[in-house]
Amino acid sequence: MTDQRLSVSKLENEIVAETRLSMVDGEAGRLIIAGKSLDALAEESTYAETALRLARAARGRMEDPDPDDIETFDRRLGQARRDAFEHLGEQGTFSVLRLQDDPMDALKVAMSTLPVKDEHEATAALAMGVAAVAAAAWSRPDANLKALRPDPELSHPADYLRLVRGGEPTAQEVRALETYLMSVSDHGMNASTFTARVIASTESDLGSALVGAIGALKGPLHGGAPGPVLDMLDAIGSPDDAEEWIAERLAAGERIMGMGHRVYQVRDPRATAFESALSLLGQQPETQGRLELARAVEAEAERQLAEAYPDRSLQANVEFYTAVLLEAVGLPRDLFTPTFAVGRCAGWSAHVLEQGIHGRLIRPKATYVG
Ligand code: COA
């Protein structure tokens, strides 16, 4: 027996596809989603527009959608939430969802019920509805699981918040969540997107690709970090204690959640977008306090990581301010990663379509050393 470690490729810097869906410039800290920069999205777009852009870009259509098309797509998403509610009810899925300890497992259950043979656009819209309805249904606190009926008149972020919390959200809360969902709708060839494309490359169905993608996103190195970021902020408690807390964790060889990124060598631009969105909600004293603590912890973590790893640039990633933003709009901690999936559904579905149009079976090789 030998315990010699095997070399496993991380496919780092390997180009595995051309895509029209998003561009991540890790050195400049720039993100473009379906032809529009993150700054422009955060300033003037909606989730419906971004999802429509992604669906069109997968078919090679990069022109700006006109307002009527965006409105039609927004209504389609509303109808998809309604359809998802009926569909999950008919399948008896709601009661199975609640049996799952982990909401990401609940999402996998829900996605696995998607129809296999319907045309892609219809299933992709239904999948976005299923993600929002299933995540919200899982979190409903009462044991009888009284999942609320979606309101197709509301925007996707507004209805999602209503389905989770039960009351009408404020315009500022909706805009903050809208910024979040748009910003995470796609992000290059990340692990869950690659998983979805690998599954799509076998000509399997969209539901299977989404189940796989959700499984990949669940991991703490991908989408599972925002809950732990809040745990960390809770444990630190006050800006004055950040230095000691972080030093102890680093000395123990632990990773600081929400810091570092495989692609970005600078601060993740999504962290910046969320920080600005949070300033909209900043009038609430709890949000203000959280934001101040988060900024202090980020600065301290960045300083100590720079000392510990002078050759790397370990700065705040998307998860850091995700935690603060999603808490500020009133989402419970265990819904943070599922909410990421709600936003990313648009990108995953578009990648599955793009892979289907242009791709071929993805089948790398391994060197046998046994
Ligand atoms: N805290 C402490 N050390 C960190 C760190 C962090 N957040 N991120 C990276 N490092 C260290 C690693 O331990 C490694 O040290 P080593 O060479 O002594 O083993 C070194 O920096 C290089 O890290 P590496 O593993 O090459 O980085 P990566 O590109 O594989 O990792 C992440 C990227 C995101 C997985 C990593 O930064 C991480 O684990 N961050 C925390 C989890 C997180 O926020 N995930 C959400 C990602 S969006």
Side-chain angles (χ1 to χ4, degrees):
M1 269 272 285
T2 166
D3 65 354
Q4 201 185 353
R5 289 190 57 82
L6 299 180
S7 158
V8 178
S9 164
K10 298 179 269 309
L11 287 177
E12 230 161 306
N13 299 324
E14 294 286 340
I15 305 291
V16 295
E18 285 183 343
T19 181
R20 295 191 177 92
L21 299 176
S22 60
M23 196 272 301
V24 183
D25 180 343
E27 277 170 29
R30 242 161 37 99
L31 171 60
I32 293 175
I33 300 177
K36 203 156 179 171
S37 76
L38 178 63
D39 293 345
L41 285 175
E43 188 149 329
E44 63 189 31
S45 270
T46 60
Y47 182 69
E49 179 187 337
T50 314
L52 175 61
R53 282 177 169 277
L54 282 164
R56 287 187 170 183
R59 294 198 182 278
R61 294 180 55 189
M62 300 304 292
E63 77 277 9
D64 286 340
D66 58 50
D68 285 350
D69 292 343
I70 297 170
E71 207 186 307
T72 304
F73 194 81
D74 199 19
R75 279 204 299 275
R76 189 170 193 189
L77 272 183
Q79 189 54 46
R81 290 190 304 280
R82 266 286 168 86
D83 292 346
F85 185 82
E86 305 299 340
H87 169 79
L88 294 172
E90 278 161 19
Q91 303 271 328
T93 314
F94 282 127
S95 50
V96 186
L97 292 185
R98 215 28 176 131
L99 296 175
Q100 311 305 313
D101 289 335
D102 189 307
M104 293 299 274
D105 294 334
L107 277 191
K108 286 189 285 177
V109 169
M111 288 301 180
S112 69
T113 69
L114 285 175
V116 171
K117 292 216 159 62
D118 290 0
E119 52 116 18
H120 178 92
E121 261 82 5
T123 317
L126 182 63
M128 284 185 243
V130 163
V133 170
W138 181 90
S139 77
R140 295 293 292 163
D142 54 292
N144 294 332
L145 189 64
K146 285 270 183 277
L148 292 178
R149 223 179 137 65
D151 179 351
E153 299 297 317
L154 293 178
S155 71
H156 206 56
D159 204 20
Y160 178 59
L161 268 185
R162 188 187 68 88
L163 291 174
V164 175
R165 307 186 330 187
E168 284 282 323
T170 66
Q172 290 88 342
E173 288 169 337
V174 173
R175 188 61 203 165
L177 185 64
E178 185 125 49
T179 302
Y180 172 76
L181 294 177
M182 283 188 285
S183 306
V184 301
S185 61
D186 200 50
H187 199 248
M189 199 54 71
N190 58 85
S192 58
T193 298
F194 187 53
T195 305
R197 288 191 77 129
V198 170
I199 295 173
S201 85
T202 71
E203 296 187 4
S204 185
D205 55 284
L206 177 61
S208 299
L210 294 174
V211 170
I214 292 165
L217 184 67
K218 182 181 170 188
L221 298 191
H222 189 0
V229 168
L230 271 198
D231 295 340
M232 169 176 76
L233 295 181
D234 281 347
I236 294 174
S238 134
D240 295 342
D241 296 326
E243 182 175 356
E244 192 184 337
W245 194 93
I246 291 166
E248 275 174 16
R249 290 303 174 288
L250 289 180
E254 290 175 25
R255 291 191 180 206
I256 308 300
M257 287 293 138
M259 300 296 294
H261 197 275
R262 178 60 61 81
V263 179
Y264 290 117
Q265 302 304 310
V266 291
R267 194 178 194 233
D268 189 324
R270 295 165 299 174
T272 307
F274 300 165
E275 206 189 343
S276 320
L278 268 161
S279 57
L280 284 174
L281 298 165
Q283 297 88 333
Q284 300 163 6
E286 324 83 73
T287 304
Q288 196 55 43
R290 265 294 196 217
L291 198 50
E292 274 164 26
L293 176 61
R295 285 183 176 135
V297 171
E298 179 194 1
E300 189 53 35
E302 193 182 315
R303 189 186 69 74
Q304 293 195 30
L305 284 166
E307 265 174 28
Y309 302 99
D311 301 335
R312 308 256 321 168
S313 172
L314 299 171
Q315 301 191 34
N317 64 45
V318 63
E319 311 284 19
F320 200 90
Y321 286 95
T322 288
V324 187
L325 186 149
L326 296 186
E327 181 187 54
V329 298
L331 290 175
R333 211 167 286 208
D334 47 16
L335 270 197
F336 289 1
T337 308
T339 304
F340 192 153
V342 168
R344 186 55 64 84
C345 246
W348 287 332
S349 301
H351 275 277
V352 166
L353 182 59
E354 197 178 57
Q355 175 69 34
I357 295 171
H358 303 282
R360 174 178 147 78
L361 179 68
I362 298 173
R363 178 36 172 113
K365 284 183 173 178
T367 307
Y368 178 64
V369 296

